[in-house]
Amino acid sequence: MDQSDIKYTNQRIEILEFLKGFDGHPSVDDVYEGVRKKLTRISKATVYNNLKFLAEKGLIKEVNVKGVSRFESNLEPHHHAICIECGEIIDFQSEELREYAMKIAGKIDNFKVESTDTNFYGICKKCKEMK
Amino acid sequence: MDQSDIKYTNQRIEILEFLKGFDGHPSVDDVYEGVRKKLTRISKATVYNNLKFLAEKGLIKEVNVKGVSRFESNLEPHHHAICIECGEIIDFQSEELREYAMKIAGKIDNFKVESTDTNFYGICKKCKEMK
DNA sequence: AGTTTAAATAATAATAATTCTTATTAAGAA
DNA sequence: TTCTTAATAAGAATTATTATTATTTAAACT
């Protein structure tokens, strides 16, 4: 991603800071509410625009779960464990799995794979205890 | 999934038939437009309800790409190659990858994995030729 | 068969997430 | 400073999805 010509406006800096300090995978609304504490006049459209912009520039990553966008600043390639009850996302790193998948990626006809990740669906601790 | 008490209404039969005959991963609208040719009076809410219902019963599967739901009748566990340009989804089967991932799944703390699949992101043939 | 009951459907209103539009503001170049 | 362009704020518009309500269908019972 071309990160050479990025204009770091206050809004973009605050959004990046918020993501770095956030433990989890915030939705657009989470980011909006969080950033609003410092930039009280920020517009939600600006949050949308800049999350998209920063994701295109490769400074953050977008994850889509159950139809809603979530974001993360963890740029290390990793996988996600997703709770099928509450939608909670847990990062999980396994370089060996990624390598294995990339090796297999070569077998897909007429498709040039650039990246891969694996999703693990199941029940998180909190939801398990509720039963 | 409990498939014992499924009531096969005309609407459900037509939705299942459409999915079986469709080569790809249709959206709700695709299904609606397709089924409407036979059941001209069907409501879109019925399509939503029944796609959800059939997915819960395990007769079809739901895939979420870029925030929109898509469906498939291919029940064999498989992975998806997703074009980052046009969003096209290609099924890709690799039992060895699934087994490998499930083995690694045991390492995730406090999370009971029920299923796993791997996404391959890249450029499809059609989009590659356009460049 | 006729009546009762519950589930399924159609139509459409409501909601949520996201994108678009337009006027304003900020920032850099001339 | 003035010109130019990109970024932003505000809110309207759009899209995908869910909820509501009246009607229809179908099964269960008498």
Side-chain angles (χ1 to χ4, degrees), chain A residues 110-112, chain B residues 83 85-86 123-131:
Chain A
N110 298 318
F111 198 88
K112 175 92 176 57
Chain B
C83 179
E85 292 286 334
C86 67
I123 311 286
C124 75
K125 196 188 177 189
K126 211 189 293 169
C127 288
K128 202 177 174 183
E129 284 167 355
M130 275 191 186
K131 296 194 173 172

PDB file of all heavy atoms in Angstrom, chain A residues 110-112, chain B residues 83 85-86 123-131:
ATOM      1  N   ASN A 110      -6.881 -20.363 -11.800  1.00  0.00           N
ATOM      2  CA  ASN A 110      -7.293 -19.041 -12.296  1.00  0.00           C
ATOM      3  C   ASN A 110      -7.531 -18.027 -11.186  1.00  0.00           C
ATOM      4  O   ASN A 110      -8.457 -17.224 -11.252  1.00  0.00           O
ATOM      5  CB  ASN A 110      -8.576 -19.156 -13.128  1.00  0.00           C
ATOM      6  CG  ASN A 110      -8.368 -20.008 -14.348  1.00  0.00           C
ATOM      7  OD1 ASN A 110      -7.335 -19.895 -15.020  1.00  0.00           O
ATOM      8  ND2 ASN A 110      -9.322 -20.865 -14.632  1.00  0.00           N
ATOM      9  N   PHE A 111      -6.745 -18.094 -10.152  1.00  0.00           N
ATOM     10  CA  PHE A 111      -6.930 -17.167  -9.043  1.00  0.00           C
ATOM     11  C   PHE A 111      -5.580 -16.886  -8.403  1.00  0.00           C
ATOM     12  O   PHE A 111      -4.868 -17.797  -8.007  1.00  0.00           O
ATOM     13  CB  PHE A 111      -7.889 -17.776  -8.012  1.00  0.00           C
ATOM     14  CG  PHE A 111      -8.470 -16.782  -7.068  1.00  0.00           C
ATOM     15  CD1 PHE A 111      -9.639 -16.117  -7.380  1.00  0.00           C
ATOM     16  CD2 PHE A 111      -7.844 -16.486  -5.866  1.00  0.00           C
ATOM     17  CE1 PHE A 111     -10.185 -15.187  -6.506  1.00  0.00           C
ATOM     18  CE2 PHE A 111      -8.377 -15.557  -4.991  1.00  0.00           C
ATOM     19  CZ  PHE A 111      -9.560 -14.904  -5.321  1.00  0.00           C
ATOM     20  N   LYS A 112      -5.263 -15.606  -8.344  1.00  0.00           N
ATOM     21  CA  LYS A 112      -3.972 -15.198  -7.791  1.00  0.00           C
ATOM     22  C   LYS A 112      -4.172 -14.781  -6.336  1.00  0.00           C
ATOM     23  O   LYS A 112      -4.673 -13.692  -6.054  1.00  0.00           O
ATOM     24  CB  LYS A 112      -3.446 -14.028  -8.636  1.00  0.00           C
ATOM     25  CG  LYS A 112      -2.169 -13.387  -8.158  1.00  0.00           C
ATOM     26  CD  LYS A 112      -0.942 -14.023  -8.797  1.00  0.00           C
ATOM     27  CE  LYS A 112       0.328 -13.294  -8.375  1.00  0.00           C
ATOM     28  NZ  LYS A 112       0.514 -13.236  -6.919  1.00  0.00           N
TER      29      LYS A 112
ATOM     30  N   CYS B  83     -12.577 -12.627  -4.604  1.00  0.00           N
ATOM     31  CA  CYS B  83     -11.889 -11.611  -5.411  1.00  0.00           C
ATOM     32  C   CYS B  83     -12.026 -10.245  -4.735  1.00  0.00           C
ATOM     33  O   CYS B  83     -13.136  -9.782  -4.482  1.00  0.00           O
ATOM     34  CB  CYS B  83     -12.460 -11.563  -6.822  1.00  0.00           C
ATOM     35  SG  CYS B  83     -11.651 -10.303  -7.843  1.00  0.00           S
ATOM     36  N   GLU B  85     -11.444  -7.497  -6.005  1.00  0.00           N
ATOM     37  CA  GLU B  85     -11.918  -6.482  -6.955  1.00  0.00           C
ATOM     38  C   GLU B  85     -13.438  -6.525  -7.085  1.00  0.00           C
ATOM     39  O   GLU B  85     -14.126  -5.568  -6.794  1.00  0.00           O
ATOM     40  CB  GLU B  85     -11.295  -6.718  -8.338  1.00  0.00           C
ATOM     41  CG  GLU B  85      -9.796  -6.476  -8.413  1.00  0.00           C
ATOM     42  CD  GLU B  85      -9.439  -4.990  -8.390  1.00  0.00           C
ATOM     43  OE1 GLU B  85     -10.281  -4.173  -8.801  1.00  0.00           O
ATOM     44  OE2 GLU B  85      -8.317  -4.664  -7.948  1.00  0.00           O
ATOM     45  N   CYS B  86     -13.948  -7.658  -7.511  1.00  0.00           N
ATOM     46  CA  CYS B  86     -15.372  -7.735  -7.856  1.00  0.00           C
ATOM     47  C   CYS B  86     -16.210  -8.474  -6.812  1.00  0.00           C
ATOM     48  O   CYS B  86     -17.438  -8.458  -6.885  1.00  0.00           O
ATOM     49  CB  CYS B  86     -15.548  -8.402  -9.225  1.00  0.00           C
ATOM     50  SG  CYS B  86     -15.092 -10.150  -9.241  1.00  0.00           S
ATOM     51  N   ILE B 123      -7.119 -11.951  -6.764  1.00  0.00           N
ATOM     52  CA  ILE B 123      -7.723 -11.427  -7.986  1.00  0.00           C
ATOM     53  C   ILE B 123      -8.177 -12.591  -8.859  1.00  0.00           C
ATOM     54  O   ILE B 123      -7.397 -13.487  -9.155  1.00  0.00           O
ATOM     55  CB  ILE B 123      -6.702 -10.574  -8.780  1.00  0.00           C
ATOM     56  CG1 ILE B 123      -6.004  -9.555  -7.867  1.00  0.00           C
ATOM     57  CG2 ILE B 123      -7.364  -9.908  -9.968  1.00  0.00           C
ATOM     58  CD1 ILE B 123      -6.858  -8.394  -7.469  1.00  0.00           C
ATOM     59  N   CYS B 124      -9.428 -12.542  -9.265  1.00  0.00           N
ATOM     60  CA  CYS B 124      -9.958 -13.609 -10.107  1.00  0.00           C
ATOM     61  C   CYS B 124      -9.510 -13.417 -11.555  1.00  0.00           C
ATOM     62  O   CYS B 124      -9.004 -12.374 -11.923  1.00  0.00           O
ATOM     63  CB  CYS B 124     -11.483 -13.672 -10.020  1.00  0.00           C
ATOM     64  SG  CYS B 124     -12.338 -12.359 -10.915  1.00  0.00           S
ATOM     65  N   LYS B 125      -9.741 -14.431 -12.347  1.00  0.00           N
ATOM     66  CA  LYS B 125      -9.288 -14.426 -13.733  1.00  0.00           C
ATOM     67  C   LYS B 125      -9.831 -13.221 -14.510  1.00  0.00           C
ATOM     68  O   LYS B 125      -9.095 -12.505 -15.170  1.00  0.00           O
ATOM     69  CB  LYS B 125      -9.760 -15.718 -14.401  1.00  0.00           C
ATOM     70  CG  LYS B 125      -9.062 -16.029 -15.709  1.00  0.00           C
ATOM     71  CD  LYS B 125      -9.729 -17.210 -16.396  1.00  0.00           C
ATOM     72  CE  LYS B 125      -9.077 -17.485 -17.746  1.00  0.00           C
ATOM     73  NZ  LYS B 125      -9.856 -18.487 -18.513  1.00  0.00           N
ATOM     74  N   LYS B 126     -11.133 -13.025 -14.366  1.00  0.00           N
ATOM     75  CA  LYS B 126     -11.799 -11.961 -15.119  1.00  0.00           C
ATOM     76  C   LYS B 126     -11.180 -10.586 -14.807  1.00  0.00           C
ATOM     77  O   LYS B 126     -10.874  -9.802 -15.690  1.00  0.00           O
ATOM     78  CB  LYS B 126     -13.295 -11.946 -14.784  1.00  0.00           C
ATOM     79  CG  LYS B 126     -14.181 -11.493 -15.932  1.00  0.00           C
ATOM     80  CD  LYS B 126     -15.613 -11.288 -15.453  1.00  0.00           C
ATOM     81  CE  LYS B 126     -16.281 -12.591 -15.045  1.00  0.00           C
ATOM     82  NZ  LYS B 126     -17.578 -12.384 -14.340  1.00  0.00           N
ATOM     83  N   CYS B 127     -10.987 -10.325 -13.514  1.00  0.00           N
ATOM     84  CA  CYS B 127     -10.446  -9.022 -13.106  1.00  0.00           C
ATOM     85  C   CYS B 127      -8.979  -8.873 -13.517  1.00  0.00           C
ATOM     86  O   CYS B 127      -8.520  -7.775 -13.817  1.00  0.00           O
ATOM     87  CB  CYS B 127     -10.595  -8.840 -11.604  1.00  0.00           C
ATOM     88  SG  CYS B 127     -12.315  -8.560 -11.103  1.00  0.00           S
ATOM     89  N   LYS B 128      -8.278  -9.967 -13.534  1.00  0.00           N
ATOM     90  CA  LYS B 128      -6.868  -9.939 -13.929  1.00  0.00           C
ATOM     91  C   LYS B 128      -6.747  -9.534 -15.393  1.00  0.00           C
ATOM     92  O   LYS B 128      -5.902  -8.723 -15.770  1.00  0.00           O
ATOM     93  CB  LYS B 128      -6.270 -11.329 -13.723  1.00  0.00           C
ATOM     94  CG  LYS B 128      -4.766 -11.354 -13.576  1.00  0.00           C
ATOM     95  CD  LYS B 128      -4.356 -12.784 -13.300  1.00  0.00           C
ATOM     96  CE  LYS B 128      -2.881 -12.991 -13.267  1.00  0.00           C
ATOM     97  NZ  LYS B 128      -2.602 -14.437 -13.058  1.00  0.00           N
ATOM     98  N   GLU B 129      -7.638 -10.086 -16.218  1.00  0.00           N
ATOM     99  CA  GLU B 129      -7.602  -9.803 -17.656  1.00  0.00           C
ATOM    100  C   GLU B 129      -7.960  -8.366 -17.968  1.00  0.00           C
ATOM    101  O   GLU B 129      -7.575  -7.825 -18.993  1.00  0.00           O
ATOM    102  CB  GLU B 129      -8.550 -10.752 -18.398  1.00  0.00           C
ATOM    103  CG  GLU B 129      -7.988 -12.156 -18.528  1.00  0.00           C
ATOM    104  CD  GLU B 129      -9.039 -13.156 -18.973  1.00  0.00           C
ATOM    105  OE1 GLU B 129     -10.227 -12.773 -19.079  1.00  0.00           O
ATOM    106  OE2 GLU B 129      -8.663 -14.319 -19.201  1.00  0.00           O
ATOM    107  N   MET B 130      -8.698  -7.749 -17.085  1.00  0.00           N
ATOM    108  CA  MET B 130      -9.136  -6.371 -17.316  1.00  0.00           C
ATOM    109  C   MET B 130      -7.998  -5.366 -17.206  1.00  0.00           C
ATOM    110  O   MET B 130      -8.125  -4.241 -17.664  1.00  0.00           O
ATOM    111  CB  MET B 130     -10.207  -5.992 -16.301  1.00  0.00           C
ATOM    112  CG  MET B 130     -11.595  -6.418 -16.726  1.00  0.00           C
ATOM    113  SD  MET B 130     -12.820  -5.679 -15.654  1.00  0.00           S
ATOM    114  CE  MET B 130     -14.298  -6.486 -16.260  1.00  0.00           C
ATOM    115  N   LYS B 131      -6.923  -5.785 -16.543  1.00  0.00           N
ATOM    116  CA  LYS B 131      -5.846  -4.813 -16.288  1.00  0.00           C
ATOM    117  C   LYS B 131      -4.899  -4.629 -17.471  1.00  0.00           C
ATOM    118  O   LYS B 131      -4.705  -5.481 -18.262  1.00  0.00           O
ATOM    119  CB  LYS B 131      -5.058  -5.270 -15.055  1.00  0.00           C
ATOM    120  CG  LYS B 131      -5.962  -5.255 -13.839  1.00  0.00           C
ATOM    121  CD  LYS B 131      -5.174  -5.366 -12.565  1.00  0.00           C
ATOM    122  CE  LYS B 131      -6.097  -5.173 -11.370  1.00  0.00           C
ATOM    123  NZ  LYS B 131      -5.445  -5.455 -10.111  1.00  0.00           N
TER     124      LYS B 131
END
